[in-house]
Amino acid sequence: MPRRRMSLFWSVVVACASIYVFLAFVFPYAAMWIAGSENALPVPAALIAIFMALTIVGALIHVSTDDDRLREFLDPVVRLLRGWDRSEGYSTRAVARLAVLTAFPLLVGWVVYGAAAPDTRTPSLLRIQHPTMPGRYENLTNPFADVDEATRAQYIEEGTTLYQVNCRPCHGTKADGAGPMARGLRLKPADFQDAGTIGTVVESYAFWRIKEGGRGLPMAASPWDSAMPAWKDELSDEEIWKIVMAEYAIAGREPRKPESHE
Amino acid sequence: MHRLVAIVCLVCVSLLTASLVLAQEADVSSEQGEAIQETVPGTAPGEGEYRSFLGLDSRVIVWVVAQVHLMFAAFVLGVPMFAVIVEIIGVVSKDDRYDHLAHEFTKLLSAAFSTTAALGGLLAFTLFGLYPRFMGYMSGIFHGSMYVYALLFFAEAFSLYLYYYTWERLRNRKALHISLGVLLNVVGTALMFIANSWLTFMMSPKGVDPATGALISFRDAFANPLWQPINVHRLIANVTFGGFVVGAYAAIRFMNAKTDEQRAHYDWMGYIGNFVAILALIPLPFAGYYLGREIYSVSPVMGNNMMGGAFSWTFIIQAILIGMIFVGANYYLWTGMSRIPGSERYTGYIKYLNVILLLCFAVWLTPHNLPLSSEEQLLMGGQYHPVLKYLGLMSAKNAAVNFIILSTFFSFLLYRRANKSERVPVSEQGRTVKIVVSAVGVLCMALLGAYAYSLLALDPTTLDLAPEKSRYFVLPAVLLIVQIGAIGACAVLTFVNRGIVAQAALFGVTILSVVFILGVYGFVVMTEANPFLRNIAVCQVLLVLSSLVFGSAIDVALFRKAQQVGNIAWGRIPIRSQYTLVLLCVSIVLLMGLMGYIRSGLREDWHVYGVIRDTSQWAFTPTMAYMSKVVALCTVIFLGLVTFVFWLSGLQQKESEPDS
């Protein structure tokens, strides 16, 4: 006897559920292995929500491109809602119907409760790593941009010294964000070797960040999360520019060039 | 009657010439500029700068009026473009249905036109009334082009009514009638270009003294850096917009239709509207990329603000809306397969397309920067997920978008061949087919070759890269050359009657290069030779476009004169598909509202970026929630007005119903 195929409705349910299981429980370990991290790397809840929404949209598209398929999909639902034949007595379907119709309001209640009840988790916040820099920094240029090679090398060396003294504890010797103090911070010090940090901003942006630190950030960048100190009282502008040059050199990154016309 | 036509044409042409002369004259010399400055006292804040009435928020008033005006304008400019094209198709194919359709489009136009004009007037009044100092400054610089604009508006009105009302009279002189339509488009485009210069001036002012705002060169102010990118972007977007609005119109008429005949007509009309919209939608991401790049060049701050700063999440909303549009358009095609006899042979592909599209969207929608709880932050060791962060970067997005475009094109190909059976072998077709296919192929090859050459000859120092980085230019150039070879081989295959194989091969090669090779290579380039990333994007665009163009050429040759399994049963389509058309329309209107907001929001607290500051109480950048409410309001107002206007234009038709 040929095996009966699972009905369309249930295969859709199973498919959606397995995608969820994959995202929530399998992927974090796969990512841990890929990234060589010490702990599982969960997919952020916001992203799971996006992916699951897409999955459900995809499933609905799949079942509704064709009239017959749509009917087949809805069939179990319709049969369930329509009820059972009394003469059959209390069949499994009748029990299932009762269970679903009771469970649904309970589910709604639970979701509402979850949304209203006080919660001890920290809220999800969107933090913008590169907010707009204040206008007065926008047109600053590196005063040492046009020096000759030898002077440049010398400035970078001076900058490197300043970097290793002041920044290394957090940003690390190799500017990879893994300094000895980094482990103690929740919002990790920026990894300058990563393509997404100082490589994507112009030099004057880095200058601003060093001078004004975490406190100088606008609200969208959640300044209260950042341990980055403001250096304007400690270091002179010249020293900061040298550090900027050194920081790019150590990390092996190029600053973004202010693009010009023609 | 012909005399009348001739006279009106003359008037239009002379108006055009007059405006050109005026435009020349308006090239004010600098002394005049200064004089204007004195009469329009300055850029320093003072009293009488801002007004409001009834205590309403002046910015929201201008925002809503401008946005609704722009939506109408987009419709009124976009629809004539394809009305004329549809009319030409009607003449060439000798199929009367197309002519009726073009006529019906134009009827909608003339109904929408006066509303557009009225809204334009309202916008001008609210601007001058509520922002007198700023508008004083703007008219000081642009008053010359404002008169030209007003004159051209007459020309637009005349040519529109001429085009519409001479439809029957010029039935036997189609060439003349089509030229009227072309004239209408020329005037409309000129109008839009003028208005564009005002708003791009506000973003990227040129030709004025940045300190005082005094005019130095009108020409520079007019042709400011963002002017061309916006022109291109809007021209294409208007067609998309018009197409989707027409599609929704047809859908609603379909749902209200009483007879099978009407249903068939409106089903077909909806199909054409959707087709036109998608065709224009495909190059739109490229135009957007160009605009975005230019914004970066004008001001890195504005650019950073756009992609990484306060506006970055608006682009996630944009991605969602565009995603809805592409998925919706594909869904519409798929549900439409059921009305095509013979389509059973191809419906099996749909599920794979569905999966590909959704995977691409998953990549496309993954933000680089996510809302995180601090536990998540701690576990991930920072702001970004060590693995998923790659999906948030430009290379991944580009690969996904290109894959989406290719899949959508694939859906179209399936749709086109759904009811074809016996084909006439290409070798037995006339010579013209071969010539056309070869010509298209050679054109594509030339384009790819030229770019490959320019990459190999590119000097890395022009991109601020070290000379040894030129090694990163080789792989993309090689892929372009491979594509040239593939096109050649596919042409040969087509001529020996292996066209289907040729198409599959071309597709395969393109997907491999664009998505899998360049998509991954993009990450390497991003870390090693960042400035070159743009050229990679251009490469991907060229590869995809060549594949679309040449793939279509093969398709035309393959199915020319092919027999049909049966006629498309127009009108026999599930009602879901019609709701999809409505959804597409709502999405594009929302999208337009959103993009309008981003474009002007980027100026933040400047009226004219870097020149005149907005010192009003409404100068703050709105939150996302606030923005969504206003954009939704604009959408509701626009759709409400459009529905009303179309209903009005339908009243007259009721009497002459039988002909529809």
Side-chain angles (χ1 to χ4, degrees):
Chain A
M1 203 182 87
R3 230 170 56 110
R4 253 190 69 217
R5 202 167 60 93
M6 198 194 292
S7 82
L8 185 58
F9 179 83
W10 287 109
S11 34
V12 166
V13 171
V14 168
C16 290
S18 13
I19 291 181
Y20 179 78
V21 168
F22 173 76
L23 288 175
F25 304 106
V26 181
F27 186 82
Y29 292 96
M32 171 175 108
W33 181 73
I34 296 173
S37 137
E38 290 157 16
N39 54 290
L41 298 166
V43 181
L47 206 53
I48 294 199
I50 294 181
F51 289 161
M52 285 318 291
L54 275 175
T55 307
I56 291 171
V57 168
L60 290 180
I61 288 181
H62 176 70
V63 296
S64 70
T65 39
D66 182 90
D67 272 340
D68 292 336
R69 204 178 303 140
L70 184 61
R71 222 168 292 126
E72 187 190 338
F73 174 73
L74 291 178
D75 186 51
V77 184
V78 172
R79 270 190 297 151
L80 183 78
L81 291 180
R82 195 173 281 153
W84 69 98
D85 195 347
R86 285 204 181 268
S87 60
E88 282 175 29
Y90 284 93
S91 63
T92 36
R93 193 181 304 150
V95 177
R97 179 172 187 252
L98 207 64
V100 169
L101 292 184
T102 335
F104 196 75
L106 288 178
L107 183 73
V108 172
W110 184 61
V111 170
V112 171
Y113 172 78
D119 190 343
T120 50
R121 275 175 311 170
T122 52
S124 284
L125 277 183
L126 181 63
R127 182 174 182 279
I128 293 178
Q129 177 65 45
H130 292 140
T132 313
M133 68 172 131
R136 57 183 185 283
Y137 286 94
E138 185 180 331
N139 293 320
L140 289 185
T141 47
N142 184 350
F144 308 129
D146 298 321
V147 295
D148 61 76
E149 278 306 313
T151 329
R152 195 182 160 76
Q154 186 209 327
Y155 287 162
I156 291 185
E157 203 177 307
E158 288 174 34
T160 307
T161 312
L162 287 165
Y163 175 89
Q164 299 297 4
V165 171
N166 296 300
C167 321
R168 178 192 155 269
C170 292
H171 291 285
T173 320
K174 288 179 287 183
D176 53 2
M181 273 165 73
R183 288 187 134 243
L185 301 172
R186 278 209 160 175
L187 180 61
K188 296 288 180 233
D191 168 4
F192 300 141
Q193 293 190 8
D194 186 283
T197 64
I198 54 173
T200 63
V201 296
V202 291
E203 272 182 314
S204 58
Y205 194 98
F207 179 81
W208 163 55
R209 288 306 322 278
I210 298 168
K211 200 164 154 115
E212 308 257 356
R215 274 177 276 155
L217 287 168
M219 290 310 257
S222 65
W224 56 86
D225 275 345
S226 170
M228 169 73 190
W231 293 94
K232 57 183 172 212
D233 301 329
E234 255 72 33
L235 300 168
S236 70
D237 281 5
E238 255 106 79
E239 285 172 323
I240 296 183
W241 279 118
K242 286 176 188 164
I243 295 182
V244 168
M245 288 159 74
E247 159 192 77
Y248 281 104
I250 302 170
R253 292 261 152 228
E254 292 286 326
R256 185 176 190 117
K257 293 279 179 305
E259 296 165 57
S260 59
H261 266 285
E262 264 94 34
Chain B
M1 184 59 205
H2 296 329
R3 208 170 310 143
L4 181 72
V5 175
I7 291 173
V8 180
C9 275
L10 254 177
V11 173
C12 291
V13 170
S14 37
L15 275 178
L16 256 177
T17 347
S19 38
L20 285 179
V21 174
L22 263 175
Q24 292 289 313
E25 222 130 292
D27 200 338
V28 206
S29 65
S30 55
E31 306 96 63
Q32 248 170 316
E34 242 100 86
I36 289 163
Q37 260 311 292
E38 272 151 37
T39 53
V40 184
T43 44
E47 69 247 21
E49 298 183 71
Y50 301 107
R51 298 199 196 97
S52 62
F53 64 86
L54 300 175
L56 293 176
D57 182 326
S58 298
R59 176 172 65 174
V60 170
I61 294 179
V62 170
W63 180 355
V64 172
V65 174
Q67 191 58 60
V68 176
H69 168 64
L70 282 173
M71 287 166 177
F72 266 98
F75 180 74
V76 165
L77 293 175
V79 172
M81 290 191 225
F82 57 86
V84 174
I85 295 174
V86 169
E87 189 183 5
I88 295 175
I89 295 178
V91 171
V92 174
S93 68
K94 303 205 176 59
D95 185 344
D96 259 355
R97 282 191 309 167
Y98 286 100
D99 198 69
H100 284 312
L101 189 67
H103 194 191
E104 191 163 359
F105 285 159
T106 319
K107 191 181 80 191
L108 297 182
L109 261 185
S110 54
F113 184 74
S114 36
T115 317
T116 314
L119 281 166
L122 186 61
L123 175 60
F125 290 141
T126 45
L127 272 175
F128 275 102
L130 301 175
Y131 288 85
R133 175 175 67 99
F134 160 63
M135 283 309 282
Y137 175 73
M138 286 297 278
S139 52
I141 291 180
F142 286 107
H143 68 111
S145 64
M146 286 176 177
Y147 309 133
V148 179
Y149 184 80
L151 285 178
L152 276 177
F153 218 92
F154 283 108
E156 169 85 1
F158 293 153
S159 46
L160 172 60
Y161 289 120
L162 206 58
Y163 180 58
Y164 182 47
Y165 288 119
T166 57
W167 209 286
E168 292 307 321
R169 287 178 199 248
L170 293 183
R171 188 156 290 290
N172 298 321
R173 304 188 53 189
K174 271 291 175 201
L176 180 59
H177 191 252
I178 288 173
S179 340
L180 284 178
V182 172
L183 179 74
L184 169 63
N185 278 302
V186 170
V187 177
T189 308
L191 260 179
M192 182 182 75
F193 281 12
I194 294 182
N196 285 353
S197 82
W198 305 333
L199 67 97
T200 52
F201 174 80
M202 289 165 69
M203 292 179 80
S204 58
K206 272 279 144 65
V208 293
D209 180 338
T212 64
L215 181 63
I216 297 165
S217 150
F218 175 77
R219 185 160 295 166
D220 287 350
F222 186 81
N224 56 71
L226 289 183
W227 184 51
Q228 272 317 334
I230 287 266
N231 285 346
V232 174
H233 199 296
R234 278 198 162 167
L235 205 63
I236 308 176
N238 287 350
V239 180
T240 310
F241 190 78
F244 282 133
V245 174
V246 163
Y249 166 84
I252 294 197
R253 298 294 303 248
F254 177 94
M255 294 192 242
N256 286 324
K258 304 270 179 322
T259 64
D260 280 349
E261 211 181 2
Q262 283 181 353
R263 255 188 290 277
H265 174 74
Y266 287 114
D267 180 11
W268 181 69
M269 181 176 187
Y271 169 72
I272 301 277
N274 183 59
F275 179 79
V276 169
I278 293 298
L279 216 59
L281 190 65
I282 286 176
L284 211 49
F286 309 141
Y289 190 77
Y290 168 47
L291 175 59
R293 231 190 81 184
E294 293 300 305
I295 290 180
Y296 246 114
S297 317
V298 166
S299 153
V301 170
M302 223 194 242
N304 185 59
N305 207 2
M306 175 170 74
M307 298 316 296
F311 290 81
S312 57
W313 264 69
T314 54
F315 280 89
I316 300 291
I317 305 186
Q318 182 215 26
I320 294 176
L321 287 170
I322 296 183
M324 264 162 75
I325 291 175
F326 269 106
V327 172
N330 276 290
Y331 181 70
Y332 174 76
L333 285 179
W334 299 338
T335 44
M337 295 283 246
S338 63
R339 64 179 186 288
I340 309 181
S343 63
E344 330 62 72
R345 295 168 296 167
Y346 300 105
T347 42
Y349 288 106
I350 291 178
K351 51 179 174 295
Y352 303 112
L353 285 172
N354 189 9
V355 170
I356 291 178
L357 275 181
L358 287 161
L359 281 179
C360 289
F361 277 116
V363 173
W364 207 28
L365 286 181
T366 303
H368 184 45
N369 198 3
L370 282 162
L372 296 177
S373 68
S374 77
E375 288 84 6
E376 285 169 341
Q377 214 169 48
L378 190 64
L379 284 173
M380 284 163 34
Q383 185 68 17
Y384 304 112
H385 190 289
V387 176
L388 289 171
K389 70 177 176 190
Y390 293 106
L391 299 186
L393 298 177
M394 212 54 208
S395 304
K397 311 264 178 215
N398 277 349
V401 168
N402 282 305
F403 207 179
I404 289 169
I405 290 176
L406 285 167
S407 320
T408 306
F409 180 68
F410 191 71
S411 283
F412 263 117
L413 289 186
L414 290 186
Y415 191 90
R416 244 179 72 79
R417 73 185 49 171
N419 71 340
K420 303 288 193 307
S421 58
E422 281 297 285
R423 285 182 276 123
V424 180
V426 178
S427 57
E428 286 165 29
Q429 296 189 19
R431 194 178 295 156
T432 20
V433 173
K434 282 176 204 151
I435 294 178
V436 170
V437 171
S438 316
V440 172
V442 169
L443 199 79
C444 291
M445 288 168 158
L447 204 68
L448 295 168
Y451 198 66
Y453 175 78
S454 80
L455 284 186
L456 290 174
L458 185 66
D459 175 4
T461 52
T462 54
L463 295 174
D464 286 314
L465 285 170
E468 78 273 6
K469 299 272 180 179
S470 66
R471 66 171 185 276
Y472 292 104
F473 306 171
V474 177
L475 178 72
V478 169
L479 290 179
L480 289 168
I481 294 166
V482 168
Q483 184 86 347
I484 295 180
I487 291 182
C490 291
V492 174
L493 280 175
T494 310
F495 295 146
V496 300
N497 300 330
R498 290 282 179 280
I500 304 267
V501 179
Q503 276 183 326
L506 185 62
F507 246 71
V509 171
T510 314
I511 291 175
L512 190 68
S513 320
V514 171
V515 181
F516 295 103
I517 300 184
L518 286 181
V520 175
Y521 195 60
F523 290 106
V524 179
V525 170
M526 197 164 87
T527 51
E528 299 301 328
N530 200 309
F532 185 63
L533 205 54
R534 276 185 219 140
N535 305 60
I536 298 268
V538 176
C539 251
Q540 287 171 314
V541 170
L542 286 178
L543 291 172
V544 168
L545 281 185
S546 67
S547 170
L548 297 193
V549 171
F550 194 63
S552 317
I554 299 182
D555 209 58
V556 170
L558 272 180
F559 290 101
R560 220 169 136 261
K561 301 199 182 124
Q563 276 173 9
Q564 297 196 341
V565 178
N567 284 326
I568 300 184
W570 291 108
R572 287 226 334 255
I573 185 168
I575 205 87
R576 297 189 289 284
S577 64
Q578 304 299 306
Y579 284 110
T580 313
L581 288 179
V582 176
L583 175 78
L584 286 171
C585 172
V586 174
S587 315
I588 194 86
V589 178
L590 281 170
L591 183 60
M592 189 141 179
L594 175 74
M595 299 320 278
Y597 160 72
I598 298 179
R599 186 186 47 63
S600 24
L602 281 180
R603 281 182 280 116
E604 297 197 290
D605 56 343
W606 295 94
H607 289 309
V608 177
Y609 197 69
V611 181
I612 302 191
R613 209 175 257 286
D614 183 346
T615 53
S616 72
Q617 73 205 76
W618 306 290
F620 62 93
T621 297
T623 59
M624 296 276 279
Y626 183 113
M627 175 280 288
S628 332
K629 282 178 201 150
V630 180
V631 170
L633 179 71
C634 296
T635 307
V636 170
I637 296 180
F638 171 72
L639 290 176
L641 276 176
V642 160
T643 314
F644 179 64
V645 168
F646 288 175
W647 174 74
L648 283 181
S649 79
L651 285 181
Q652 169 235 354
Q653 202 207 351
K654 287 264 157 56
E655 288 140 34
S656 53
E657 190 70 48
D659 71 78
S660 75

